[in-house]
C-alpha cells in the first residue's frame, strides 16, 4: 500500500508546506505500512481559505443538487468497499469481516441517508408573520478519531455537505489512509473544488490550528473528553459553534425476568466488537444479585469465543495497549475478581490485549468509573431496580446504554430514567437515522439523521 504524500486542498493533491511525516503502523504486526504528511498551521490555513472561498457557491447550490453529489459519494464508497475494508484492517487492525460488515458498509448507508435528507428537508417554513430560514453555518472543521475511521468522517462530512457547508477534515494520525480514500471518493463524486479539503497531521498541531482558525465557523470533534474540553475552550474563546462526541462508560442493565443468556452474550459481544475501542460500548454489566453468579459464569463462557488475532483484533497502537493493560492491572489491584483474561499480552507480536471480564466490581473502582477503551467488561451486582438505576447513572458520562427486561414496556420505563443519550431496548438494532450523542461529559450535540443535519444549520427569521 502506498499513501499519498500530499494534502487534498481546493480540489487537488498538493505538497505540504513542511517535510515532516507521520508513520502509519499496522497494529497487528507492528510494521510501518505508509507515511503521510504531518500538516502544519500553514497547511490548515490554505485548506480553510479554500473552504471559505468555495462556501458561497456551495451554500447557494440547490439542495437537490447537493443531494445528487452525496448520492454519488455513497455509490463511490460502495464501489470501493473492498479497498476501504482492506485499508481499515491494515491501519486499525480490525479483523477483515468486521471491516467489511461495519467499517466499510455503515458509512455507505449514512451517506445515502443524507442524500435523501438533503433532497426532502424543509429549509424554509412560515411561522405566523415570519419566514424562517435554515441556512448553512459556514466552514466546518471536522476532527475525527481512529476507532471508526470512515464512519466518523461520513457522520460529520455528509450532514455538513447536505446543509450547504464546506469542510476541512483533520483525521486521526493513526488512520489517515482511510481519510485519503475518502478524499478520492469526494473527487470522484464530483464535489466542486474547495468544498471538501483534507489535512493530515498531529492533533496538537494541525488539530489545534483548525479549531482555532478564525475562518472556521463550527468545530465538530469526536474523541476523548479531555481533548474535547480543550477544543471547546478554544472554540468558546472565538464564540464559534462546537459539536463534541466524547467518552462513555455505558451500563448494560439486565433486569429480573430478562433473557439472561441472551443479555449476557450480546453484552459481551458488544464490548468485544472493535476490540472494545467503541465509545458507546456497554462496559458495565449490571445484574440482579439473585442472578449474578449465573451471569458471571455465562460471561466467562461467552468471552472464550473471542480469540485475539481471530475474532478480536489488536488495539490501535502500543500506547493504547499499555493503557488498557494498566487498567486491567488496576482492577486486580483494587480487588475485582478476574474471571477471564488479564493484563498479560496474549500474543508476542501486535498490540493485542486479552479479552477480560471482571466480577465483584464495585461502583467506586477505577474500572467502573473510567473509560478503558479496550476489551474489558466490569460486572456489578445490584439489589433492586432503584439500586440498578443509581449505579447506572453514577457516572460523569452519559453516551449510551442497554436495558433487558421481560418485556419492552418494562425496559422502556427504566430507560426513560437513565441519564444517557441512547439506549438499546432488549437488543435493539442500529438505526442510522437515530440521533447519537451524549449527556453530561459525553458531549454536546448529536450526529446522524435529521438531528445530525440540524447541527450544521443556523436559523434566520424574516418578519413581514
Amino acid at each position: 500500500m502506498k499513501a499519498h504524500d500530499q494534502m487534498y486542498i481546493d480540489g487537488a493533491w498538493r505538497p505540504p508546506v513542511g517535510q515532516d511525516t507521520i508513520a502509519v503502523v499496522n497494529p497487528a504486526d507492528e510494521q510501518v505500512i505508509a507515511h503521510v504528511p504531518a500538516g502544519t498551521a500553514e497547511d490548515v490555513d490554505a485548506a480553510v481559505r479554500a473552504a471559505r472561498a468555495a462556501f458561497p457557491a456551495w451554500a447557494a447550490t440547490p439542495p437537490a443538487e447537493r443531494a445528487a453529489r452525496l448520492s454519488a459519494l455513497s455509490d463511490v464508497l460502495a464501489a470501493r468497499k473492498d479497498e476501504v475494508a482492506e485499508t481499515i484492517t491494515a491501519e486499525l487492525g480490525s479483523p477483515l469481516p468486521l471491516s467489511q460488515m461495519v467499517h466499510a458498509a455503515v458509512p455507505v448507508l449514512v451517506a445515502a441517508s443524507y442524500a435523501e435528507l438533503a433532497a426532502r428537508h424543509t429549509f424554509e417554513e412560515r411561522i405566523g408573520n415570519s419566514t424562517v430560514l435554515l441556512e448553512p453555518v459556514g466552514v466546518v472543521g471536522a476532527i475525527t478519531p481512529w476507532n471508526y475511521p470512515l464512519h466518523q468522517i461520513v457522520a460529520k462530512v455528509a450532514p455538513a455537505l447536505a446543509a450547504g457547508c464546506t469542510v476541512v477534515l483533520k483525521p486521526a494520525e493513526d488512520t489517515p489512509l482511510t481519510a485519503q480514500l475518502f478524499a478520492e471518493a469526494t473527487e470522484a463524486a464530483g464535489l466542486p473544488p474547495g468544498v471538501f479539503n483534507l489535512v493530515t497531521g498531529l492533533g496538537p498541531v494541525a488539530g489545534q490550528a483548525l479549531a482555532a482558525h478564525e475562518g472556521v465557523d463550527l468545530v465538530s470533534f469526536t474523541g476523548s473528553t479531555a481533548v474535547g474540553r480543550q477544543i471547546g475552550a478554544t472554540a468558546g474563546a472565538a464564540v464559534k459553534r462546537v459539536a463534541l462526541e466524547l467518552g462513555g462508560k455505558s451500563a448494560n442493565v439486565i433486569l429480573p425476568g430478562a433473557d439472561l443468556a441472551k443479555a449476557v452474550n450480546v453484552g459481551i459481544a458488544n464490548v468485544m466488537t472493535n476490540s472494545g475501542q467503541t465509545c458507546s460500548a456497554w462496559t458495565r454489566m449490571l445484574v440482579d444479585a439473585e442472578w449474578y453468579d449465573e451471569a458471571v459464569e455465562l460471561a466467562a463462557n461467552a468471552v472464550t469465543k473471542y480469540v485475539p488475532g481471530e475474532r478480536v483484533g489488536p488495539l490501535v497502537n502500543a500506547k493504547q495497549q499499555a493503557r488498557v493493560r494498566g487498567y486491567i492491572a488496576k482492577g486486580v489491584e483494587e480487588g475485582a475478581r478476574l474471571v477471564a483474561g488479564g493484563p498479560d499480552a496474549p500474543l508476542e507480536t501486535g498490540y493485542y490485549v486479552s479479552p477480560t471480564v471482571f466480577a465483584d466490581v464495585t461502583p467506586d473502582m477505577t474500572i467502573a468509573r473510567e473509560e478503558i477503551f479496550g476489551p474489558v467488561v466490569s460486572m456489578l451486582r445490584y439489589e433492586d431496580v432503584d439500586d440498578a438505576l443509581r449505579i447506572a447513572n453514577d457516572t460523569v458520562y452519559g453516551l449510551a446504554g442497554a436495558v433487558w427486561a421481560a418485556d419492552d414496556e418494562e425496559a422502556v420505563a427504566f430507560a426513560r430514567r437513565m441519564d444517557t443519550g441512547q439506549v438499546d431496548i432488549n437488543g435493539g438494532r442500529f438505526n442510522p437515522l437515530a440521533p447519537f450523542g451524549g449527556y453530561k461529559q459525553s458531549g454536546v450535540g448529536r450526529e446522524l439523521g435529521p438531528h445530525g443535519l440540524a447541527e450544521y444549520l443556523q436559523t434566520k427569521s424574516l418578519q413581514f
Side-chain angles (χ1 to χ4, degrees), residues 232-245:
T234 299
V239 197
K240 66 177 67 177
R241 288 176 57 169
V242 63
L244 304 172
E245 196 267 279

Side-chain angles (χ1 to χ4, degrees), residues 79 121 141 182 227 291 315 340 344 348 383 391 409 415 420 424 427 431 435:
H121 194 76
F182 180 79
V227 177
W291 290 6
L315 300 189
D344 295 336
E348 291 185 3
E383 298 303 322
I391 295 170
E409 184 176 348
T420 192
D424 287 1
N431 179 2

Side-chain angles (χ1 to χ4, degrees), residues 285-332:
M285 185 180 294
L286 278 56
V287 186
D288 181 87
E290 184 177 347
W291 290 6
Y292 187 80
D293 290 341
E294 182 181 354
V296 170
E297 184 177 351
L298 287 167
N301 290 331
V303 81
T304 61
K305 303 174 186 175
Y306 298 91
V307 179
E310 297 177 15
R311 290 189 68 178
V312 178
L315 300 189
V316 70
N317 55 39
K319 180 180 178 181
Q320 184 67 10
Q321 180 195 41
R323 179 177 182 271
V324 174
R325 291 174 65 187
Y327 271 113
I328 296 173
K330 188 72 171 177
V332 173

Side-chain angles (χ1 to χ4, degrees), residues 42-131:
E42 290 82 0
D43 295 310
V44 169
D45 182 65
V48 173
R49 288 179 182 276
R52 176 61 60 192
F55 173 67
W58 183 246
T61 300
E65 188 173 333
R66 298 201 296 263
R69 298 279 65 78
L70 283 167
S71 181
L73 177 61
S74 178
D75 290 343
V76 173
L77 293 174
R80 299 185 68 176
K81 65 182 186 301
D82 290 341
E83 184 182 3
V84 168
E86 290 167 2
T87 300
I88 291 174
T89 291
E91 64 180 353
L92 179 62
S94 168
L96 187 58
L98 180 66
S99 295
Q100 293 168 329
M101 292 186 293
V102 176
H103 288 294
V106 172
V108 173
L109 297 177
V110 173
S113 75
Y114 278 111
E116 296 175 7
L117 277 171
R120 61 180 171 80
H121 194 76
T122 301
F123 292 92
E124 182 175 322
E125 65 176 328
R126 188 76 174 175
I127 301 179
N129 65 306
S130 301
T131 296

